[in-house]
Amino acid sequence: MAPIFRWGFLGLILTLIYLPILVLVVNSFNASKYGIKWGGFTFKWYEKFWNNDGLMGAALNSLTVSIVAASVATVIGTLAAVALHRYQFKGKALLSSMVFVSMLTPEIVMAISLLIVFMALGIKLGFISLVIGHITFCLPFVIVAVYSRLKGFDMKMLEAARDLGASESNIFWKIILPLALPAVASGWLLSFTLSLDDVIVSAFVTGPGYEILPLKVYSMVRVGVSPEVNAISTILLVVSLVLVVISQLLLREDK
Amino acid sequence: MNEPRALLILNNLSKTFGDNRVLDNFDLTIFDGEFFTLLGPSGCGKTTVLRMIAGLEETDSGNIQLDGQDIAQVPAEKRPVNTVFQSYALFPHMTVFDNVAFGLRMSGVAKEEIAPRVTEALEMVRLGEFAQRKPAQLSGGQQQRVAIARAVVNRPKLLLLDESLSALDYKLRQQMQIELKRLQRKLGITFVYVTHDQEEALSMSDRVVVMDKGKVQQLGTPREIYEQPANLFVAKFIGEINQLNGEIVAVDGNHEYEVKVEGLQWRLHAEHNFKAGDKVNVLLRPEDVRVEYIDDPHPDQYLVGTVIERNYKGKTLDSLIRLPSGIEVIASEFFDEDDPSFDYSLNQKVAIKWVPGWEVVLPHDV
Amino acid sequence: MTSSLGQFRFWAIGLASVWLTLFVFFPNLLVIITSFLTRDPQATVSLPINADSYVRTLDLLYLQVLWDSLRMSLLAMVFCLLIGYPFAMAIVSLPKRWQPVILFLVILPFWTNSLVRTYAIQFILGNQGIINKSLLGLGVIDKPLQLLYTQFAVILGLCYILLPFMVLPLYSALEKLDVRLHHAAKDLGAGPLKRFWYITVPLTSPGIVAGCLMVLLPAMGMFYISDLLGGAKNLLLGNVIKTQFLHTRDWPFGSAFSVILIVLLGFMLWLYFRAARFVNKQGGLNGADF
């Protein structure tokens, strides 16, 4: 393919992908209510969001859930990735397939399956159920991120450590974790954004009293275009973007 | 006896990669039906030449004529030339049969013709029963043979082999060398072979071109290359060589010269034209060097040296002998268990000589 | 020594295994079981085990929704493939140092809020949106086209959100393709089109299946895309499931629909592993097509 067609095609598709986002961001600063004409630059929609207790409360809840879920998922996921990479154990293939399949399962199936199991286990819908749900869909991503990193490890180095008397726990804390830290951190950041942006699973496992931002946005957005939503959306987009960029930079730094 | 027909003519080929002039005004003629080898160290340009012939590399300048036709502009897929790649490059998702049939299918050979031709090719490389296997199920040597079958089944005018045996272990390589030679004779196709292994080149080829830095160093039969190296590079690249420094004292006429070597004057033969005062290199192959006890009577001239290494190699006994000037000479003699004269010890003084005429005298390359 | 080996190992393997078993394996099992139970207003579900729910899915109304949903998702998958494959090929042909950059730019939107991005499409497709305004302005049309709340909008939305999922596995598969196989094919007389058909496509087939899987299945479940862009008429399977679980509270019925999705997932996974075996690769986590 001639270079010019290559870059042209890539450029076209990329532009189309980012166009709606751009329009959205621009409109969040548009004083005109419906975004038809440009009414002047303004921050008032952001102010409205800031002053809206309901929305801010939901935002705070979202942050809490995401931080907790990302952290727990990172811990479990990192350990799992190490186990899958280092150890042979009965059921290893089963575990590996479960991770693989859970990554491919459509979110809606995961959502209702969680709802059913919560009912079966008697777990009330609310903060706890949300966190559990978020941890569950973040887990495979952390595992894949850390596992990929571990694949590039020099196994001889770990054998040398054992030869010198280090226990498995030592090896993990003193060698594996420090070297895999970028991938672990990256896994946390990605889990956090996935959790923050989640709509499908949250719609099913959240409780009546506990509001989170994406769902609140969802109910606002079903009605149609609304300027506060533009502001919130822009904030969400920017936060995600920044976090993802950081996580990628982390991964790249060590290469 | 037919006059050999020129099948491939390469004229003034050049190629530069970045700052690296990989090929420099390279000329070559290859004859129909011969087993021709391009030999040289890595980076000498031999693989580039091969790829240009195949059409996988473009020339910066120069032309390529195959059977009288200029093919430089013809794309690779349309040239009547096939390559056996170093990594075999077998298609992993196809069976051995489909791999071998690929070229035939691409050129639109009639369906009924494909099966018998593929079977014939597989029989020729003795892989008849493996037709339905996939490449991953075959050993390295077997994959190699499939690669060969896949190329020859198309009856190309020229078969190119790019260091095809380098991935095999020693014994297998020896075997494959014999098989390739046999195959070439049977098929009558012109083979162009690329290698850096000079033993391989000498044993298989009808003619060899030795290359270095994109240029032809010498073109000739294996015997010519080995016994009459045209320059120091070729002499050193092919086999082992001893290099003595000399100076022309007088011209005796008819390619005979009086040469001063290691303080003694010798009457030596040289193909080049020299005059008195020229500095020369006197080259000797290790197997041409004679080592004798110093106490024995010596009717002819000899050099004196000290044995500093002895290596028993099974077939031969190799000795490293230091001359008073500091130059070290390797002597390789067939080991005869019963001959007591083979019992040199380290630091023993010995006499070195050679059969007159077996030396090669070249101008002194700086 | 063995006790600490045992202890660390125990927790590392145990935590994840328990979690996945409890919240992935077990729940999916429950979904299948639930689909065979009966709806009960008090206890949500109760015993009489029967296949009633499945029978009811065959109702013409639901069958129509199922069929439309499948069709829209398949179309989205096909468009993603038609755009995604050349896109991935273009990336692979770029100089090495540009590849991660462009890849990152494509994947980046995936990590941001999909709901928000879907909402943003309204600005493009709406009656007051960019497309209509430009076409009106240029005089190509004299009244705004109804682009929003159509099947077209839903399919576009699905493509828009799911394209990165098609590009990633395709890129991964194309990148791993041994270029020497192309040289060999060229040498044997295959031109660019033939090489594409006989070498490139078959050898990237696991990637193709993976990409299709990762678009088709989520597509059927993304109810918010249907809500925002499709209006009341263009429903996806996800909408039906959501309604049954959250509004009608007919869990067995909703589960039956989910099982259909699970079966579809199973089928596509089978295809994936078949394709991986065809090209002699392992597939799965170790095949790392992601």
Side-chain angles (χ1 to χ4, degrees):
Chain A
M1 238 194 256
I4 188 158
F5 287 127
R6 232 187 275 155
W7 284 107
F9 181 66
L10 289 174
L12 178 67
I13 302 293
L14 283 174
T15 311
L16 288 178
I17 291 180
Y18 283 94
L19 190 61
I21 298 177
L22 218 62
V23 174
L24 180 61
V25 171
V26 165
N27 264 321
S28 71
F29 296 107
N30 188 353
S32 152
K33 212 168 189 231
Y34 293 106
I36 305 170
K37 291 202 201 16
W38 180 254
F41 191 92
T42 177
F43 277 115
K44 70 178 175 194
W45 310 119
Y46 290 91
E47 283 172 21
K48 274 193 105 178
F49 168 52
W50 187 259
N51 294 325
N52 185 328
D53 286 336
L55 282 175
M56 286 308 285
L60 213 62
N61 287 344
S62 283
L63 279 175
T64 316
V65 169
S66 300
I67 292 178
V68 174
S71 308
V72 176
T74 304
V75 168
I76 302 181
T78 304
L79 289 174
V82 171
L84 283 171
H85 187 250
R86 267 175 75 61
Y87 308 131
Q88 295 298 330
F89 49 92
K90 253 205 324 223
K92 179 172 175 172
L94 189 60
L95 182 62
S96 175
S97 345
M98 273 205 286
V99 174
F100 185 62
V101 170
S102 75
M103 244 194 341
L104 298 177
T105 312
E107 282 193 74
I108 187 133
V109 173
M110 182 176 280
I112 62 156
S113 69
L114 284 169
L115 186 58
I116 295 180
V117 90
F118 289 151
M119 225 260 330
L121 293 177
I123 299 177
K124 224 170 43 146
L125 296 180
F127 178 72
I128 301 283
S129 63
L130 258 181
V131 169
I132 293 179
H134 284 212
I135 293 174
T136 310
F137 68 68
C138 290
L139 206 50
F141 290 97
V142 175
I143 295 181
V144 167
V146 178
Y147 186 78
S148 309
R149 176 97 181 160
L150 290 177
K151 279 210 297 198
F153 260 32
D154 181 10
M155 290 311 287
K156 299 287 177 192
M157 166 181 62
L158 300 175
E159 282 177 358
R162 269 187 79 182
D163 183 73
L164 292 165
S167 67
E168 278 306 301
S169 178
N170 274 337
I171 292 180
F172 175 74
W173 289 105
K174 299 222 166 77
I175 305 180
I176 297 182
L177 192 57
L179 286 176
L181 208 51
V184 174
S186 165
W188 190 94
L189 287 169
L190 292 176
S191 297
F192 181 76
T193 56
L194 275 178
S195 164
L196 200 60
D197 295 331
D198 176 67
V199 166
I200 297 187
V201 172
S202 304
F204 284 81
V205 303
T206 192
Y210 200 79
E211 296 213 310
I212 54 167
L213 199 55
L215 290 181
K216 232 176 143 78
V217 169
Y218 185 37
S219 51
M220 289 170 76
V221 143
R222 293 173 79 176
V223 186
V225 172
S226 126
E228 291 104 320
V229 174
N230 298 345
I232 304 172
S233 306
T234 307
I235 295 178
L236 280 173
L237 280 174
V238 169
V239 167
S240 304
L241 244 126
V242 167
L243 288 177
V244 172
V245 170
I246 295 179
S247 89
Q248 285 304 306
L249 286 177
L250 274 177
L251 275 182
R252 204 147 304 166
E253 219 175 66
D254 248 39
K255 276 196 181 152
Chain B
M1 172 75 174
N2 286 330
E3 173 82 15
R5 177 174 80 97
L7 181 64
L8 181 73
I9 301 178
L10 303 175
N11 208 337
N12 232 336
L13 290 183
S14 292
K15 182 86 184 173
T16 310
F17 284 122
D19 314 321
N20 195 2
R21 196 161 173 78
V22 173
L23 271 186
D24 200 0
N25 295 328
F26 188 82
D27 293 325
L28 194 63
T29 302
I30 297 180
F31 297 112
D32 191 17
E34 71 172 335
F35 195 120
F36 189 91
T37 298
L38 292 133
L39 174 66
S42 30
C44 70
K46 57 194 191 296
T47 300
T48 309
V49 172
L50 204 74
R51 287 172 61 86
M52 282 180 174
I53 301 173
L56 296 171
E57 198 78 66
E58 283 196 12
T59 64
D60 285 348
S61 68
N63 51 48
I64 305 176
Q65 269 193 38
L66 179 62
D67 220 356
Q69 286 193 314
D70 193 343
I71 59 167
Q73 299 309 317
V74 178
E77 51 263 30
K78 299 216 170 69
R79 297 191 190 189
V81 169
N82 287 119
T83 309
V84 179
F85 292 84
Q86 187 176 15
S87 65
Y88 317 142
L90 297 180
F91 305 127
H93 57 300
M94 299 185 193
T95 60
V96 165
F97 185 95
D98 288 330
N99 261 283
V100 176
F102 189 77
L104 298 176
R105 292 201 174 116
M106 289 300 115
S107 28
V109 168
K111 261 207 192 146
E112 316 83 62
E113 232 192 285
I114 294 186
R117 273 173 78 168
V118 169
T119 315
E120 184 191 3
L122 285 175
E123 294 288 332
M124 237 194 298
V125 295
R126 293 186 280 116
L127 283 178
E129 313 96 60
F130 291 82
Q132 291 312 313
R133 303 256 186 108
K134 282 202 173 161
Q137 299 167 292
L138 301 177
S139 72
Q142 291 167 331
Q143 288 183 11
Q144 153 93 122
R145 285 187 271 156
V146 174
I148 295 173
R150 185 175 71 171
V152 299
V153 77
N154 303 291
R155 301 189 191 135
K157 288 194 176 155
L158 209 55
L159 186 67
L160 308 175
L161 299 108
D162 187 4
E163 308 224 37
S164 308
L165 303 183
S166 62
L168 303 173
D169 64 58
Y170 186 70
K171 267 237 134 96
L172 201 50
R173 257 169 98 161
Q174 307 282 69
Q175 246 181 301
M176 284 305 298
Q177 283 171 15
I178 300 173
E179 278 204 37
L180 271 180
K181 189 79 185 144
R182 181 184 63 89
L183 197 63
Q184 193 263 337
R185 288 229 179 87
K186 183 165 175 197
L187 291 170
I189 298 180
T190 310
F191 275 27
V192 179
Y193 191 82
V194 159
T195 182
H196 59 267
D197 182 339
Q198 29 99 339
E199 246 189 68
E200 203 165 71
L202 294 182
S203 67
M204 293 200 291
S205 329
D206 293 326
R207 283 194 311 153
V208 177
V209 65
V210 181
M211 291 174 67
D212 187 37
K213 300 199 178 52
K215 293 190 158 78
V216 174
Q217 298 297 321
Q218 183 170 0
L219 172 65
T221 63
R223 186 160 175 181
E224 285 164 6
I225 305 271
Y226 189 77
E227 293 184 5
Q228 303 289 336
N231 59 35
L232 207 54
F233 174 81
V234 177
K236 283 187 178 169
F237 190 78
I238 314 282
E240 301 260 30
I241 196 79
N242 289 308
Q243 191 180 337
L244 301 174
N245 296 319
E247 190 178 323
I248 305 285
V249 174
V251 183
D252 287 346
N254 205 18
H255 290 291
E256 300 281 314
Y257 298 87
E258 295 294 320
V259 189
K260 189 157 178 199
V261 181
E262 295 289 315
L264 297 174
Q265 189 157 310
W266 309 74
R267 191 187 167 89
L268 300 177
H269 177 96
E271 291 298 317
H272 288 255
N273 291 322
F274 295 112
K275 52 187 199 307
D278 283 346
K279 293 247 188 298
V280 292
N281 283 321
V282 177
L283 305 172
L284 285 169
R285 294 277 179 209
E287 63 270 17
D288 294 340
V289 175
R290 290 272 168 72
V291 184
E292 287 171 17
Y293 278 122
I294 207 127
D295 308 322
D296 289 346
H298 296 285
D300 335 287
Q301 228 175 195
Y302 59 89
L303 293 172
V304 179
T306 317
V307 176
I308 56 176
E309 281 282 355
R310 290 172 61 216
N311 271 323
Y312 171 64
K313 283 195 167 158
K315 274 198 287 196
T316 59
L317 179 70
D318 289 1
S319 316
L320 191 62
I321 299 160
R322 184 181 288 141
L323 300 175
S325 64
I327 290 185
E328 291 171 2
V329 171
I330 306 174
S332 184
E333 300 171 287
F334 276 106
F335 189 70
D336 182 349
E337 281 173 42
D338 298 326
D339 187 343
S341 73
F342 265 101
D343 214 358
Y344 319 129
S345 48
L346 294 181
N347 294 319
Q348 183 175 355
K349 278 209 161 16
V350 288
I352 304 231
K353 42 171 87 160
W354 63 91
V355 173
W358 285 16
E359 74 283 351
V360 175
V361 183
L362 291 176
H364 188 85
D365 295 340
V366 179
Chain C
M1 196 53 74
T2 13
S3 68
S4 72
L5 170 82
Q7 208 184 34
F8 182 78
R9 237 178 88 122
F10 174 74
W11 283 104
I13 301 172
L15 275 177
S17 304
V18 168
W19 192 280
L20 287 174
T21 312
L22 201 53
F23 295 113
V24 174
F25 182 68
F26 191 41
N28 278 304
L29 210 60
L30 282 180
V31 172
I32 300 177
I33 295 176
T34 309
S35 66
F36 289 107
L37 295 175
T38 323
R39 176 185 178 197
D40 183 333
Q42 271 90 22
T44 316
V45 284
S46 66
L47 255 182
I49 293 187
N50 51 43
D52 278 356
S53 308
Y54 287 99
V55 173
R56 287 167 59 205
T57 66
L58 298 175
D59 185 312
L60 213 58
L61 193 66
Y62 290 110
L63 226 49
Q64 183 69 37
V65 171
L66 203 63
W67 170 241
D68 283 340
S69 174
L70 188 62
R71 197 160 45 98
M72 285 191 279
S73 306
L74 275 172
L75 281 172
M77 179 191 89
V78 167
F79 287 130
C80 279
L81 190 57
L82 290 176
I83 298 177
Y85 206 98
F87 195 84
M89 282 177 72
I91 300 182
V92 170
S93 66
L94 290 179
K96 280 278 162 164
R97 56 198 182 91
W98 281 107
Q99 288 184 21
V101 176
I102 304 293
L103 211 56
F104 177 66
L105 284 178
V106 176
I107 307 301
L108 186 57
F110 159 65
W111 296 116
T112 63
N113 198 315
S114 310
L115 177 65
V116 157
R117 286 189 297 137
T118 311
Y119 163 67
I121 294 185
Q122 292 184 335
F123 284 107
I124 313 281
L125 296 182
N127 283 351
Q128 318 277 6
I130 290 195
I131 295 185
N132 274 318
K133 276 212 286 194
S134 338
L135 291 180
L136 280 170
L138 289 173
V140 177
I141 50 174
D142 37 72
K143 30 180 211 120
L145 296 170
Q146 180 61 35
L147 296 170
L148 209 48
Y149 308 125
T150 59
Q151 270 199 18
F152 165 74
V154 174
I155 298 176
L156 183 76
L158 289 172
C159 280
Y160 183 64
I161 300 295
L162 295 170
L163 188 64
F165 289 103
M166 178 63 82
V167 172
L168 252 185
L170 286 178
Y171 168 77
S172 184
L174 279 168
E175 202 242 340
K176 294 200 174 80
L177 197 56
D178 190 345
V179 72
R180 292 175 296 192
L181 293 175
H182 265 260
H183 292 164
K186 226 185 186 180
D187 182 81
L188 290 164
L193 279 173
K194 288 206 173 125
R195 290 202 302 268
F196 179 73
W197 184 249
Y198 283 101
I199 310 291
T200 311
V201 171
L203 286 175
T204 55
S205 56
I208 297 178
V209 176
C212 287
L213 198 162
M214 288 173 78
V215 170
L216 183 63
L217 291 166
M220 295 191 61
M222 292 179 105
F223 55 79
Y224 58 82
I225 295 191
S226 163
D227 272 347
L228 293 181
L229 303 176
K233 289 216 290 199
N234 300 299
L235 293 179
L236 291 169
L237 189 58
N239 295 85
V240 174
I241 297 179
K242 175 160 166 277
T243 314
Q244 295 307 322
F245 270 90
L246 299 182
H247 305 300
T248 324
R249 301 207 169 269
D250 190 345
W251 286 23
F253 195 33
S255 302
F257 284 112
S258 305
V259 169
I260 295 176
L261 268 184
I262 295 179
V263 167
L264 192 55
L265 171 65
F267 173 67
M268 295 212 71
L269 275 177
W270 175 77
L271 268 182
Y272 171 72
F273 282 108
R274 272 298 297 275
R277 249 188 311 133
F278 172 67
V279 299
N280 286 316
K281 289 230 177 88
Q282 222 186 333
L285 260 190
N286 281 311
D289 273 346
F290 302 94

